[in-house]
Amino acid sequence: MHHPFSASRRRLLVQGSLAALAFGSGVCAAGADKRFGERNYRRATVIDALGSIGDPQPDITLESAPSERLLRDIRDSGVTAISMTLSVGSTGDRMAKAQYKIALFDEKVLTVPDVLMRIRTAADLRKAKETGRLGLIYNLQDTSLLENDLSRVATLAALGVRQIQMTYNTRNLVGDGCLERNDAGLSNLGRALVGALERARVVMDLSHGGARTIAEAIAQAKAPPVISHTGCRDVHEHPRNVFDRELRALAGKGGVAGIYFMPFLVPRGAATPDDLFRHLAHAVDVCGEDHVGLGTDGPLSGIEIDDDYRKYLREEFESRSRQGIAAPGEGPDAYQVILEYNDARRFQRLADDLVARGWSERRVEKVLGGNFARVYGEVWG
């Protein structure tokens, strides 16, 4: 899901005692007998397969250099890389908008090269980890900007785009999204796009796709695909989540499903750590621990849950409803964050909580980012 709310509404939430909470089961991560720990976290490759670096400092525009507040959050996060959406909207010259966004974020990297770097190859990902910088993986959450010209895939790849999502909720020229009543699957153009992405060494992302679209794309894929941000539909019935049969097929092709921190994990309201764990555990049971990761679908910094944020959610829901892209469960009470993990250090606390729940350190390392790093290496070469 896109997160276009203004910088004045996006601020760091001071967590206070929330940092000590675990999954709501009565177990406190701070007092647990076993934790993942700082040393393991520093060693792990940590990847958010769908996120953003929206600035938490009020009144910082997208064109501005990163604020000191954002830079501090980046350094504190311990995140190795974020697959970051280049949002281009649904109207106008979207190809030109994508090129502008690429240039804009390239400039951000140049302003703080000791903090940010671009990721184009698996070697870049390793370098980001070794140097303690945050790697930016450019992605697109829709293929509408391609129109019917698949040569644009190679153009975007040359500009640094490394992950492209086939559909966004509704029907486009390549296939049907998850909100279409009649899921017709991939079009002929969509089938051709699978090959075009593989030739350009761009990761195919099937998030927001209809079940048949996902199944057909996985069946045709030769390189491992991903579903960067989703939940398990056999745990909670929601069109943004994915059925077990498609998760198994994804794993069969070597792909990875990233579980998000979104309200679509639950029937109503915001998800809790217990809900996140339930979906993660189910995904591991279905796919195996080598095929599950994290894609928060949110900003690296925390979000202040205040009247401005609730107003944003209401206005965004109204706008998305008019466009026909709003999913069930969106609205002013559906916070797009898990409150207990609502700051830049969320992944270390999640890792601690998973170990406290009985997960092995090796499994946690894979889910934190090792699995996505493997797929990126296989596709990018």
Side-chain angles (χ1 to χ4, degrees), residues 62-288:
L62 189 62
E63 288 75 17
S64 302
S67 69
E68 286 301 318
R69 197 171 181 179
L70 175 59
L71 296 178
R72 183 175 65 248
D73 284 349
I74 290 171
R75 293 186 183 100
D76 289 346
S77 72
V79 176
T80 308
I82 290 179
S83 182
M84 187 187 66
T85 298
L86 304 170
S87 179
V88 298
S90 59
T91 59
D93 188 340
R94 287 166 289 186
M95 188 69 175
K97 290 179 181 179
Q99 292 169 318
Y100 171 73
K101 288 290 183 68
I102 290 168
L104 187 153
F105 282 102
D106 282 352
E107 181 65 23
K108 286 184 185 292
V109 171
L110 290 174
T111 62
V112 285
D114 59 325
V115 180
L116 297 174
M117 66 175 288
R118 289 185 57 178
I119 303 296
R120 290 174 175 263
T121 66
D124 289 339
L125 195 58
R126 292 190 293 270
K127 187 175 182 180
K129 180 62 187 175
E130 291 166 1
T131 59
R133 288 179 284 176
L134 175 66
L136 302 183
I137 303 166
Y138 295 164
N139 77 56
L140 293 162
Q141 279 203 81
D142 190 15
T143 54
S144 295
L145 82 170
L146 301 178
E147 298 178 353
N148 63 353
D149 183 0
L150 297 188
S151 71
R152 292 184 173 186
V153 173
T155 300
L156 290 164
L159 292 171
V161 174
R162 288 295 176 265
Q163 183 171 312
I164 294 180
Q165 191 173 289
M166 300 286 273
T167 61
Y168 186 83
N169 286 0
T170 57
R171 177 175 294 161
N172 62 20
L173 292 178
V174 307
D176 278 1
C178 63
L179 298 186
E180 289 293 336
R181 292 183 182 179
N182 299 314
D183 183 8
L186 287 179
S187 66
N188 290 338
L189 183 67
R191 294 175 184 276
L193 176 58
V194 175
L197 291 170
E198 292 176 349
R199 288 189 296 275
R201 295 189 175 275
V202 172
V203 173
M204 178 172 66
D205 187 352
L206 300 173
S207 305
H208 291 265
R212 184 175 172 186
T213 300
I214 293 172
E216 291 179 356
I218 292 171
Q220 187 164 338
K222 295 181 174 62
V226 302
I227 304 174
S228 64
H229 56 300
T230 190
C232 300
R233 198 159 178 174
D234 285 83
V235 174
H236 171 53
E237 169 61 38
H238 191 282
R240 280 287 289 105
N241 297 335
V242 179
F243 289 115
D244 285 0
R245 60 179 178 268
E246 280 74 53
L247 292 175
R248 290 192 187 95
L250 180 78
K253 286 293 178 77
V256 177
I259 303 301
Y260 46 29
F261 290 26
M262 295 293 282
F264 311 134
L265 300 177
V266 293
R268 183 175 180 180
T272 69
D274 268 332
D275 300 316
L276 175 61
F277 181 80
R278 188 177 303 111
H279 283 260
L280 282 169
H282 184 84
V284 168
D285 286 345
V286 171
C287 299

